Amino acid sequence: MASITQGAARHHPSRRRPMTRPHHRAAVAAGISLLCAGLLHPALAAGRKGLSVGMTMTSAEYADRFERYPGLIDSVRVFSAGAPPAWTDSRILQLKAQGIVPFISHKTYDPNAFKAWLLAMPADLPMVYLAHCHECEADMPASTYVEHQRSYWNVVQALPASIRQRVKYGPIQTKQWTENYGRSYATYDPGIGDFWGVDAYVNTWGLVYPDASTWLSQIRAYATGGRPKWLPELGVICMPDDADDSARAAWIESVAAILEADRSFKLVLWWDTLGTPGGEVDGVGTVRNFRLSEKYTTAGGTVPVKPSKQAWRRFMRRNAP
């Protein structure tokens, strides 16, 4: 599981056609109106077609990523361990200014407060993606999780059209928690949402890049009832024996090709920052560094690498609006 507060990252040891049909026409019309009014960034004006590709980093890393991938980042996760962040939160404002969709995840369950927060959504924010209690399988029984997700979905569905057309909400499950232990995605899937999400990381302790097709097979096979599939977090470290990062870059290219060919996937975001320290792994230690531009060394530092960030940049460019 991964989450970021204002300046810190956390990861458990162990994302383009987001517009759905019920609100597509209204959202496009609203986008045109906002563009004409000078409120909508040009990158958000095309109805968000095809595959949405972005990344997530700490707010301290925003400036670096904006400079490194100018105009290419579609969406960035914004995390809160409690209630949703204020609409004036600096992260939301920075992303909006760059034409990047904030993908907000929060943990505290309070449907009434969630409703009030959504009703106060600024009129000049073109789009927001939302998830409540992402990666919560280990935190509560499935029945409780499903109940909470459906309650929040009811809030979203009841929003005024002027707000509803600018909101995408859905559940986010965990690949490692589910697949590492032979569990089924169906157990925690509430069956609702504008999307069905899975945070997907390669097991660091395996010390290999798995075959991309096999690694994605269970997610690809899962029947979502027509909901688009999103990978809000995707990540793998540069493995110890991958001296120049070329093997990780090749793995990224393989995953990208599958996601581009499989039209059920509509969003993928790379986890481009540190994760929570995990168990000791030979050649890795306890650090989990998913940054595309770095390879961690057990001597306690990092070395810069280029192939993976170049592969992800190509992926973003191919799918840019």
Side-chain angles (χ1 to χ4, degrees):
M1 175 165 58
S3 62
I4 294 181
T5 54
Q6 275 288 129
R10 184 170 63 86
H11 185 275
H12 194 273
S14 35
R15 337 161 191 9
R16 166 173 251 13
R17 202 176 289 165
M19 289 293 181
T20 53
R21 292 187 179 278
H23 305 282
H24 179 73
R25 292 182 180 175
V28 171
I32 293 172
S33 297
L34 287 167
L35 180 63
C36 292
L39 300 176
L40 179 57
H41 190 283
L44 297 172
R48 315 204 60 80
K49 298 176 181 178
L51 179 65
S52 173
V53 185
M55 57 177 47
T56 294
M57 54 281 181
T58 66
S59 57
E61 297 169 312
Y62 278 6
D64 173 78
R65 303 305 191 276
F66 297 162
E67 181 178 0
R68 187 177 297 172
Y69 308 102
L72 296 177
I73 303 171
D74 188 87
S75 180
V76 170
R77 299 288 294 279
V78 175
F79 295 94
S80 171
W87 294 113
T88 54
D89 186 290
S90 64
R91 295 168 294 176
I92 297 175
L93 297 180
Q94 288 182 72
L95 296 176
K96 184 177 71 171
Q98 293 289 327
I100 297 171
V101 179
F103 193 152
I104 301 171
S105 297
H106 75 285
K107 293 285 188 176
T108 301
Y109 178 70
D110 188 336
N112 290 330
F114 182 59
K115 177 181 179 180
W117 177 74
L118 281 172
L119 289 174
M121 180 177 174
D124 65 347
L125 183 60
M127 179 64 66
V128 65
Y129 303 151
L130 300 175
H132 167 62
C133 207
H134 74 289
E135 302 185 15
C136 274
E137 294 98 327
D139 300 332
M140 64 184 68
S143 59
T144 301
Y145 179 79
V146 168
E147 178 186 353
H148 287 187
Q149 293 298 319
R150 290 177 177 172
S151 175
Y152 268 47
W153 178 241
N154 289 338
V155 170
V156 171
Q157 289 288 73
L159 289 170
S162 60
I163 298 176
R164 178 66 182 95
Q165 64 196 15
R166 296 183 288 127
V167 171
K168 296 296 173 189
Y169 179 89
I172 301 176
Q173 297 181 243
T174 317
K175 186 180 191 298
Q176 288 172 311
W177 188 91
T178 303
E179 297 188 22
N180 284 3
Y181 302 97
R183 297 166 173 144
S184 170
Y185 286 113
T187 303
Y188 274 81
D189 181 8
I192 54 83
D194 296 305
F195 62 87
W196 174 74
V198 179
D199 285 350
Y201 291 87
V202 171
N203 296 318
T204 297
W205 47 260
L207 294 177
V208 297
Y209 303 114
D211 174 76
S213 181
T214 302
W215 188 76
L216 285 168
S217 60
Q218 291 191 44
I219 297 175
R220 295 183 69 191
Y222 185 69
T224 65
R227 291 169 294 167
K229 294 175 181 177
W230 288 17
L231 301 181
E233 295 176 28
L234 173 67
V236 62
I237 70 164
C238 184
M239 296 298 180
D241 63 355
D242 185 7
D244 63 357
D245 189 47
S246 59
R248 180 170 64 161
W251 186 86
I252 288 172
E253 294 282 15
S254 295
V255 169
I258 292 170
L259 299 182
E260 287 171 329
D262 187 337
R263 301 299 294 173
S264 67
F265 288 94
K266 301 300 181 186
L267 176 141
V268 55
L269 310 182
W270 186 268
W271 184 265
D272 198 38
T273 191
L274 294 176
T276 296
E280 185 77 27
V281 176
D282 290 344
V284 178
T286 60
V287 173
R288 302 294 183 263
N289 187 350
F290 299 97
R291 292 188 182 111
L292 292 162
S293 60
E294 292 180 354
K295 176 180 172 67
Y296 179 75
T297 66
T298 52
T302 60
V303 294
V305 292
K306 292 183 178 180
S308 287
K309 69 179 180 182
Q310 291 172 339
W312 197 258
R313 183 185 290 115
R314 288 192 295 269
F315 186 29
M316 288 196 290
R317 281 178 177 165
R318 290 197 303 269
N319 294 280

